[in-house]
Amino acid sequence: MSVLGDFMSKTFDSLQPYLDKAMALETARSLFEWDDQTIAPFDAAEYTSKVVGILSDEYMKCLINDDVRKIIKKLKEDKEQENLSDKEKAIIKELDKTYEQLESIPPDEYRAFNELTLVSNRAWAKAKKDNNYEHFAPYLKKLIEYKKKFAGYRAKKGQEPYDVLLGDFEECFSIKELDIFFDKLKKEIVPLLKQVAEKSDTIYKNYNFLSYDIDKQKDFCRYLSGYLGFDFNRGVIGESAHPFTLNLHNHDVRITNKFIENNLESAMFSVIHETGHALYEMNIDDALTQTPVGTGASMGMHESQSRLFENILGRSKAFWTPIYSKLVDTYPDNLKDISLDQFIRGINKAEPSLIRTEADELSYSLHIIIRYEIEKAIFAGEADVDKLPELWNNKYKEYLGLTPTNDAEGILQDVHWSYGEFGYFPSYAIGSAIACQLYAKIKDLMPVDDYLREGNITPIREFLRDKVHKYGTTKNSNQILKDVTEEEFNADYYVKYLKDKYENLYLS
Amino acid sequence: MSVLGDFMSKTFDSLQPYLDKAMALETARSLFEWDDQTIAPFDAAEYTSKVVGILSDEYMKCLINDDVRKIIKKLKEDKEQENLSDKEKAIIKELDKTYEQLESIPPDEYRAFNELTLVSNRAWAKAKKDNNYEHFAPYLKKLIEYKKKFAGYRAKKGQEPYDVLLGDFEECFSIKELDIFFDKLKKEIVPLLKQVAEKSDTIYKNYNFLSYDIDKQKDFCRYLSGYLGFDFNRGVIGESAHPFTLNLHNHDVRITNKFIENNLESAMFSVIHETGHALYEMNIDDALTQTPVGTGASMGMHESQSRLFENILGRSKAFWTPIYSKLVDTYPDNLKDISLDQFIRGINKAEPSLIRTEADELSYSLHIIIRYEIEKAIFAGEADVDKLPELWNNKYKEYLGLTPTNDAEGILQDVHWSYGEFGYFPSYAIGSAIACQLYAKIKDLMPVDDYLREGNITPIREFLRDKVHKYGTTKNSNQILKDVTEEEFNADYYVKYLKDKYENLYLS
């Protein structure tokens, strides 16, 4: 410990009680969210939301106040800066983000927006159930108005409102980068998908939709998760309507799954996906957990980990070679006549479909591009909210060759907008692309397929831990990519991966 | 609304933000407790305890401060008092209790005590596992020292330290009342239990220890809980090492159960017991929930509800008449030859045993009396901590005719002392006695057995809701007893109930 280090800690230490309190309140909020999604009784919501509201207010008050403002200001002075560790600098950067996101927004408007999201989410659920976009449209308009206004308060000179929103999820991606990325994808994938769609029937997959005992699914999914390295002393698996990952800290990481009797793949690939997220959070360095930088670098970087496990590893023949027999033994009646090769073709079958969350790996990013283009038009003032269903349906026809028969399977399908979350969707596609870029490097460095065939996930997991996971948000996604792959984000790996895979599967 | 009412609300309203924040923090703490006992991963504790510690500190800071102190002082002035509702007066009384419990204790000592309870609980668990009282004794001494010191700070002039501790759980019971109560019980039960013990073999119960499929146990226990009125829209049932009830508010009440394959009764009577607690919390008035008076009147009153359901109703022939066939149908191989009468005798079999939590209804209170007498001696300075095992064993010999073969099944069996909880045990016996006193009144007012035979629990549950549950802590246990039964606590009902029941079962 240097003298400078000791001196430094005095200023930074005065921030610690605020960080600790905010961490405790945020952890409590996370636990309430987990509980709400997994086991809380139905009628509890009205009363429990009061509790969560108070905790959220306290969180804001604890971080956004004059005392913290003064400490941050002092820590930004040159003589303090040079004494700060990387971790401390990263924490201040995160606090800056929080201030940037919240400080310029009048508290009344912010509270009104949060209250709106509660009712707008319910309105969306009803609209989707009733297949009635008109019921949701007025709420959507209000949400967009608020988000435009907030983005206006926050925008730097000349910055587009949509760029402000995108930045909340991916600091390395603005409209400029995404346009390039998505144009490249469209150019390559739209024609490829058309070719594949014509040959979709060549892959047999009926076995997937037989009856699969749910208790056995649970056991096998738990096995899969542990096989990939999920540590059951530091995590649990629950059930919920939509699978998700949530962490209280790096020693308590939780995933959920959802089981469907007549679909073998659904729960298996959900658990592999969520385990990818969970490993990220479990591998955050102990020194960073329970601090503002103790979580994944960005939504896209997080999604890269879940998709690397779910798609690149989890849908490969090498991965299933040592464990497919265990799956067959679990369901001998259904699978005894399905060879490993047939199974691998089945889990990689691609065909255009209407629902994003059920899409295959090839068509997935087209679902994202449609949402991105619509959001961009909305925030550029180029789209009429009342006419969004038409816009949506036209784009599905153009990119996927399909037209939704109703808005429930069209524009109303995703929950995100009902919470006012705009700018989130691109992270899903960014994640797929980052996964491919990282994986290309991993393949250069180690015999991945040999390891997978031996049932040895450890070298891959440890590589990701040491090169990606452990840093939390002390590096952003581009810094991680540069340090690991010696280049910044490059979508070519993703395009090459998809072309190689699907040409090989369907067109060779 | 009167003008006075409006005037009143202004002063009381200034208290509301503190009460709301304290409620939110306390609800969060409860959720962490539920989570820890049911599903939290093993290694999470070290990190999560930091969160819980911060939330607890915030809770204290939020209630114990000069602002709240001033408001309470003002609200106690005569001109304010006359404008307060019963609910508001009760809330101030609860705050007074919190201040009385905490304000006179130096914060350093209080924190040191709380830190001690964490390590002393672990030391107890190890001591019990290793059957090594000497390992726990030094911790127990420290816990007692702290508790004596704290009681000394808090004691009113001339008040015994042990009376201070008892008052935390039962404001209506001090050493004076408990000595009378327990002397009466000892005089009646010790000789009766001796008679019963000699005839214990006349009741056949081997069937209870056959193999009972746990999934079926779960289904039947869930059925039992719903049958009694547990509202699954406002509550959930989990699993834990020791069954317990916990509520976030009156719309989220949770119970746990524990299943043992070779014991039919264990989980069934646990779930009836916990459902009794849960109904109390579910029936708290909506106007009281999420306030400091929105929970049971006292530990003893709470226990009276669980024991009324578990023992008085749940072990009666009338209760099982409409549902025993469902149990037989669940386990036909094990139960087809066991008649309802045999089953009723089986679930009421009494014999002296060493473990409190497994004790039958007749011998149960003797386990409590032993703990009470030892605690009383400890806090009167009349017991040497190193010689407690000897004292314990002598009392078991005297009252139950049995001697523990080791301290794990003797003085180390209960967790309470390891958390520094002294004065808690009497509530269990008080609960049994209150249950009998209430039940005598219920029998006067309605044909309970007829209702039970018809499978109609509603009139009993609604009576308890309207006369006991809904008031929360706005009435203390003696006020409730007086309002319902026209007399204060009277242990004669309990003694008569036990004598009638066991003489009829064994000696007639």
Side-chain angles (χ1 to χ4, degrees), chain B residues 300-482:
Chain B
M301 188 54 78
H302 231 302
E303 201 67 18
S304 78
Q305 301 305 292
S306 55
R307 281 160 196 265
L308 175 57
F309 279 93
E310 178 194 349
N311 292 329
I312 303 180
L313 303 178
R315 295 183 198 272
S316 73
K317 184 172 173 181
F319 176 80
W320 284 97
T321 298
I323 60 174
Y324 181 59
S325 63
K326 186 177 163 73
L327 183 62
V328 176
D329 289 345
T330 307
Y331 298 109
D333 290 348
N334 293 353
L335 297 179
K336 65 178 186 297
D337 297 329
I338 308 298
S339 71
L340 174 59
D341 280 325
Q342 279 178 299
F343 176 73
I344 297 302
R345 287 173 66 80
I347 61 178
N348 285 294
K349 180 167 180 163
E351 56 190 339
S353 66
L354 289 166
I355 307 296
R356 176 184 65 83
T357 56
E358 295 166 12
D360 58 79
E361 218 180 332
L362 179 60
S363 57
Y364 190 90
S365 59
L366 298 178
H367 293 266
I368 298 306
I369 292 170
I370 290 169
R371 286 151 180 77
Y372 168 73
E373 291 179 350
I374 293 175
E375 288 186 347
K376 199 170 80 164
I378 288 171
F379 286 93
E382 293 162 3
D384 177 352
V385 172
D386 291 322
K387 293 194 175 148
L388 290 184
E390 207 180 313
L391 183 59
W392 179 283
N393 293 355
N394 288 341
K395 284 188 183 287
Y396 264 80
K397 183 75 196 159
E398 184 184 349
Y399 299 155
L400 287 138
L402 300 168
T403 305
T405 56
N406 60 54
D407 291 335
E409 64 175 25
I411 193 158
L412 290 172
Q413 69 181 260
D414 287 310
V415 69
H416 305 57
W417 291 348
S418 79
Y419 285 124
E421 281 190 351
F422 301 94
Y424 185 112
F425 286 114
S427 296
Y428 292 116
I430 292 166
S432 296
I434 291 177
C436 291
Q437 186 172 344
L438 289 172
Y439 186 66
K441 187 69 190 177
I442 293 172
K443 270 177 85 170
D444 282 351
L445 294 172
M446 62 179 85
V448 183
D449 282 351
D450 290 345
Y451 287 146
L452 291 176
R453 275 188 290 267
E454 294 160 9
N456 182 10
I457 314 291
T458 309
I460 304 162
R461 202 178 55 239
E462 290 187 345
F463 177 88
L464 293 169
R465 180 192 66 199
D466 295 341
K467 301 295 184 187
V468 180
H469 302 167
K470 71 175 186 186
Y471 295 107
T473 52
T474 60
K475 292 185 182 184
N476 71 26
S477 55
N478 258 339
Q479 285 167 322
I480 290 171
L481 283 174
K482 270 189 92 165

Side-chain angles (χ1 to χ4, degrees), chain A residues 41-44, chain B residues 231-235 251:
Chain A
F42 188 81
D43 289 353
Chain B
D231 180 348
F232 287 96
N233 284 322
R234 294 169 61 181
H251 279 64

Side-chain angles (χ1 to χ4, degrees), chain A residues 207-425:
Chain A
Y207 67 88
N208 186 61
F209 308 104
L210 301 172
S211 167
Y212 290 89
D213 178 78
I214 283 182
D215 282 341
K216 286 183 185 170
Q217 285 198 46
K218 284 185 191 173
D219 286 347
F220 193 81
C221 285
R222 192 179 164 86
Y223 163 78
L224 272 178
S225 192
Y227 182 80
L228 292 168
F230 188 91
D231 180 348
F232 287 97
N233 284 321
R234 294 170 61 181
V236 292
I237 303 184
E239 282 182 63
S240 62
H242 304 285
F244 66 93
T245 301
L246 173 149
N247 62 309
L248 301 186
H249 41 68
N250 72 348
H251 279 63
D252 191 337
V253 181
R254 298 162 181 223
I255 63 181
T256 64
N257 207 347
K258 181 193 175 184
F259 298 92
I260 303 169
E261 195 190 329
N262 291 297
N263 192 329
L264 173 61
E265 284 179 15
S266 175
M268 285 197 316
F269 286 95
S270 284
V271 86
I272 300 176
H273 180 100
E274 302 306 333
T275 300
H277 283 304
L279 291 174
Y280 199 156
E281 294 296 337
M282 283 178 172
N283 284 336
I284 299 282
D285 199 284
D286 279 353
L288 302 183
T289 196
Q290 297 188 310
T291 79
V293 295
T295 188
S298 75
M299 294 306 306
M301 188 53 80
H302 231 302
E303 202 66 17
S304 78
Q305 300 305 292
S306 54
R307 282 161 195 263
L308 175 57
F309 279 94
E310 178 194 348
N311 293 329
I312 305 180
L313 304 178
R315 295 184 199 271
S316 73
K317 183 171 176 184
F319 176 81
W320 284 98
T321 299
I323 60 175
Y324 181 60
S325 63
K326 186 177 163 74
L327 182 62
V328 176
D329 290 346
T330 307
Y331 298 110
D333 291 347
N334 294 352
L335 298 178
K336 64 177 185 300
D337 296 328
I338 308 298
S339 71
L340 173 59
D341 281 324
Q342 280 177 298
F343 177 74
I344 297 302
R345 287 173 65 81
I347 61 179
N348 286 294
K349 180 167 181 163
E351 54 190 342
S353 65
L354 289 165
I355 307 295
R356 177 184 62 84
T357 56
E358 294 166 13
D360 59 78
E361 219 180 329
L362 179 59
S363 58
Y364 190 89
S365 60
L366 298 178
H367 294 266
I368 299 306
I369 291 170
I370 291 170
R371 286 152 180 77
Y372 168 73
E373 291 178 349
I374 293 175
E375 288 186 348
K376 200 171 78 164
I378 288 172
F379 286 93
E382 294 161 3
D384 176 353
V385 172
D386 290 323
K387 296 197 174 144
L388 290 184
E390 208 180 312
L391 184 59
W392 181 282
N393 293 356
N394 289 342
K395 285 187 182 286
Y396 265 78
K397 184 73 194 160
E398 183 185 351
Y399 299 156
L400 287 137
L402 300 169
T403 305
T405 56
N406 60 54
D407 291 336
E409 64 176 25
I411 193 157
L412 290 171
Q413 70 181 260
D414 286 309
V415 70
H416 305 59
W417 291 348
S418 80
Y419 286 124
E421 281 190 351
F422 302 95
Y424 185 110
F425 286 115

Side-chain angles (χ1 to χ4, degrees), chain A residues 20-21 24 31-32 34-35 39 41-44 47-48 51 54 58 233 235-236 249 251-252 254 286 289-290, chain B residues 20-21 24 31-32 34-35 39 41-44 47-48 54 58 233 235-236 249 251-252 254 286 289-290:
Chain A
D20 285 345
K21 185 175 163 185
L31 186 60
F32 276 104
W34 162 267
D35 192 71
I39 64 155
F42 188 81
D43 289 353
Y47 291 77
T48 303
V51 174
I54 294 168
E58 289 299 319
N233 284 321
V236 292
H249 41 68
H251 279 63
D252 191 337
R254 298 162 181 223
D286 279 353
T289 196
Q290 297 188 310
Chain B
D20 286 344
K21 184 175 164 185
L31 186 61
F32 276 104
W34 163 268
D35 192 73
I39 64 153
F42 188 80
D43 289 353
Y47 292 77
T48 303
I54 293 168
E58 289 299 318
N233 284 322
V236 292
H249 42 69
H251 279 64
D252 190 338
R254 298 162 181 224
D286 278 353
T289 196
Q290 297 189 309

Side-chain angles (χ1 to χ4, degrees), chain B residues 166-314:
Chain B
L166 289 168
D168 285 344
F169 302 102
E170 300 294 333
E171 69 172 57
C172 305
F173 291 86
S174 62
I175 295 171
K176 187 178 147 212
E177 288 83 14
L178 288 172
D179 277 348
I180 297 170
F181 173 35
F182 288 148
D183 282 346
K184 181 180 283 182
L185 282 183
K186 271 198 291 190
K187 194 173 134 246
E188 302 278 358
I189 291 173
V190 174
L192 177 59
L193 183 63
K194 277 189 184 134
Q195 287 179 282
V196 163
E198 284 161 18
K199 301 213 176 184
S200 167
D201 288 347
T202 59
I203 291 183
Y204 172 79
K205 195 174 170 169
N206 293 5
Y207 67 87
N208 186 61
F209 308 104
L210 301 173
S211 168
Y212 289 88
D213 178 78
I214 283 181
D215 282 340
K216 287 184 184 169
Q217 286 198 46
K218 284 184 190 173
D219 287 346
F220 193 81
C221 284
R222 191 177 164 87
Y223 163 78
L224 272 178
S225 192
Y227 182 81
L228 292 168
F230 187 90
D231 180 348
F232 287 96
N233 284 322
R234 294 169 61 181
V236 292
I237 304 184
E239 282 183 64
S240 62
H242 305 284
F244 67 92
T245 301
L246 173 148
N247 63 310
L248 301 186
H249 42 69
N250 72 348
H251 279 64
D252 190 338
V253 181
R254 298 162 181 224
I255 63 181
T256 65
N257 206 348
K258 182 192 174 184
F259 299 92
I260 304 168
E261 194 190 331
N262 290 296
N263 192 330
L264 172 62
E265 283 179 17
S266 175
M268 285 197 317
F269 285 96
S270 284
V271 86
I272 300 176
H273 180 100
E274 302 305 334
T275 299
H277 283 304
L279 291 174
Y280 200 155
E281 294 296 338
M282 283 178 173
N283 285 336
I284 298 283
D285 198 284
D286 278 353
L288 302 182
T289 196
Q290 297 189 309
T291 79
V293 295
T295 187
S298 75
M299 294 305 307
M301 188 54 78
H302 231 302
E303 201 67 18
S304 78
Q305 301 305 292
S306 55
R307 281 160 196 265
L308 175 57
F309 279 93
E310 178 194 349
N311 292 329
I312 303 180
L313 303 178

Side-chain angles (χ1 to χ4, degrees), chain A residues 92-153:
Chain A
I92 294 163
K93 190 178 154 198
E94 284 301 315
L95 287 177
D96 271 345
K97 269 194 220 170
T98 306
Y99 270 79
E100 188 273 316
Q101 283 169 3
L102 298 173
E103 208 179 17
S104 58
I105 299 171
D108 286 358
E109 291 182 20
Y110 189 70
R111 191 169 299 117
F113 168 75
N114 282 319
E115 282 168 17
L116 172 64
T117 60
L118 294 178
V119 286
S120 60
N121 175 258
R122 280 187 216 156
W124 164 79
K126 185 171 159 49
K128 186 178 177 184
K129 189 165 151 272
D130 300 344
N131 184 29
N132 178 4
Y133 177 74
E134 284 70 30
H135 181 66
F136 179 53
Y139 295 92
L140 184 55
K141 279 181 202 167
K142 277 191 215 163
L143 290 164
I144 292 167
E145 270 168 36
Y146 271 115
K147 277 295 192 173
K148 265 190 197 166
K149 213 192 304 184
F150 293 174
Y153 295 142

